[in-house]
Amino acid sequence: MQKLVIQGGIPLRGEVRISGAKNAALPMMCASLLTSDVLQLSNMPDLHDIATMRKLLEQMGVKASVQGDEMALHAAHVDKLEAPYDMVKTMRAAVLVLGPLVARFGEARVSMPGGCAIGSRPVDIHIKGLQAMGAQIFIEHGYIHAQAKRLKGARILFDIVSVTSTENLMMAAALAEGVTVLENAAREPEVVDLAHCLIAMGAKIEGAGSHTIVITGVDRLHGAAHRIMPDRIESGTFLVAAAATGGSIVLRDTRANILDSVLEKLTEAGAGIRSDSESIHLDMTGRPRSVNVRTAPYPAFPTDMQAQFMALNVIADSSAMVVETIFENRFMHVQELRRLGARIDVEGNTALVHGVDHLEGATVMATDLRASACLVIAGLVAQGETVIDRIYHLDRGYEHIEIKLSQLGANIFRIK
């Protein structure tokens, strides 16, 4: 198993290029199932989740070819309408094949994610939406089995804001008969980027980026070329790392307008920030100021940045509250931060973070993707050596993170 070794205490300085957004690329790859023509995606990140999704699509009969950061997907001869458990258990985004398969082929079998109870987890929203569009759904042997001669347009009101449900049903509605209205839809930039990709393929979609998305179904979609948006979470992670270490960095190939809530919190923490249409500059001097954080659906503060800001607050000048409202089990990094010397009190979905003068390196274990990034930031700040175990989580969502951090002057390397 691979590990990261970090010698901390070095301010990050220099420039780094931001990769394409994983959370936009994955649903777009599934959108290739909606047409028999070629879908050409560029700015594709080199990530484990992308490789897993490609493998799943290839098992279905999709032909995929990669050249540099471009991926061509051709779903002319799909012969297996199933997403097996061994794929879905490692990447919940695999459920995004459900809507496109039912819309184009009239049937799909998709494994439910491990530990996912129908009625209490967001997968239930996907099912209810497809049922509203006329699909018959059977839950059998741990699989969602959906059938429909042709989906029908419907008005679907989401009980809670769900990104993957919005994306799945938007793709399904693109080939449905009639008009589908998604109410209380997710507004994330990745949803908007998927809509732009679908529109390039011939879909009729209005309102993406608002609470109400209207999709008028068409008989068929065609091939298209689309450039994936920059990864706002990777952008935010590097900015927080620079702020925590007292550094000065420039992010290239990214946009400030997809990071408003994060940039506001960094400014509140004392960072100086400048931006233009394709870059963000951050300068930090002195110790960060503590900032309160409360996660909520976009455009509010993203849950995917909560752990990184906890690492910033750990070495800030006073105390701050971090409130997690999206996921019930997203404080698993707290115990590992304590191993480095952090002072954090947790009660329910709230963490009270007391800033300390310094952290000390230690061996810690990554528990999930964003917790891994949190520990990397803490390791960059800590005095001495930090070893992070189980970094396969990082490779799911960060493209060659140790190489990019090394470009910024960090003393970090990977070992087996």
Side-chain angles (χ1 to χ4, degrees), residues 104-298:
R104 182 172 163 215
F105 300 101
E107 186 173 7
R109 287 187 78 246
V110 176
S111 171
M112 291 188 293
C116 196
I118 295 297
S120 63
R121 290 293 183 111
V123 71
D124 189 44
I125 306 175
H126 302 253
I127 293 171
K128 288 181 178 178
L130 288 173
Q131 286 175 326
M133 298 173 74
Q136 289 186 301
I137 307 286
F138 308 94
I139 309 300
E140 49 191 20
H141 306 295
Y143 278 78
I144 304 165
H145 187 190
Q147 294 177 315
K149 287 185 178 180
R150 187 180 181 187
L151 295 174
K152 308 287 186 181
R155 179 179 177 272
I156 300 169
L157 174 62
F158 294 113
D159 292 335
I160 60 172
V161 177
S162 168
V163 173
T164 54
S165 298
T166 300
E167 292 169 338
N168 223 344
L169 297 176
M170 184 166 64
M171 288 190 284
L175 288 179
E177 181 182 342
V179 177
T180 299
V181 180
L182 305 181
E183 299 275 8
N184 197 28
R187 300 167 61 188
E188 272 72 3
E190 294 81 6
V191 173
V192 177
D193 206 29
L194 173 62
H196 289 161
C197 178
L198 293 171
I199 291 168
M201 296 169 66
K204 296 181 179 179
I205 301 172
E206 297 178 343
S210 73
H211 290 304
T212 302
I213 303 176
V214 180
I215 308 102
T216 303
V218 297
D219 291 334
R220 68 177 299 273
L221 296 178
H222 51 70
H226 182 80
R227 180 175 176 81
I228 298 164
M229 65 173 282
D231 194 312
R232 62 192 172 102
I233 305 303
E234 185 192 30
S235 300
T237 299
F238 277 100
L239 291 171
V240 172
T245 60
S248 176
I249 67 169
V250 180
L251 306 185
R252 300 294 184 193
D253 295 337
T254 189
R255 305 198 312 264
N257 65 353
I258 55 176
L259 276 170
D260 287 340
S261 61
V262 171
L263 296 181
E264 286 177 8
K265 288 297 177 182
L266 284 167
T267 301
E268 189 179 332
I273 295 174
R274 295 175 290 114
S275 64
D276 56 36
S277 61
E278 295 184 350
S279 67
I280 302 173
H281 304 236
L282 179 141
D283 295 291
M284 187 74 170
T285 55
R287 191 175 176 187
R289 293 194 292 266
S290 298
V291 290
N292 295 323
V293 166
R294 182 183 182 88
T295 66
Y298 189 87

Side-chain angles (χ1 to χ4, degrees), residues 64-90:
S65 61
V66 177
Q67 186 171 3
D69 70 349
E70 295 190 356
M71 179 180 292
L73 297 160
H74 194 194
H77 303 291
V78 173
D79 55 11
K80 186 178 182 182
L81 308 177
E82 180 176 308
Y85 175 69
D86 63 341
M87 292 288 184
V88 180
K89 72 177 181 180
T90 62

Side-chain angles (χ1 to χ4, degrees), residues 5 92 214:
V5 179
R92 292 177 65 93
V214 180

Side-chain angles (χ1 to χ4, degrees), residues 23 48 124 171 190 195 211 223 281 306-307 315 394 408:
N23 291 337
H48 183 72
D124 189 44
M171 288 190 284
E190 294 81 6
H211 290 304
H281 304 236
Q306 175 258 108
I315 48 87
L394 271 173
L408 296 172

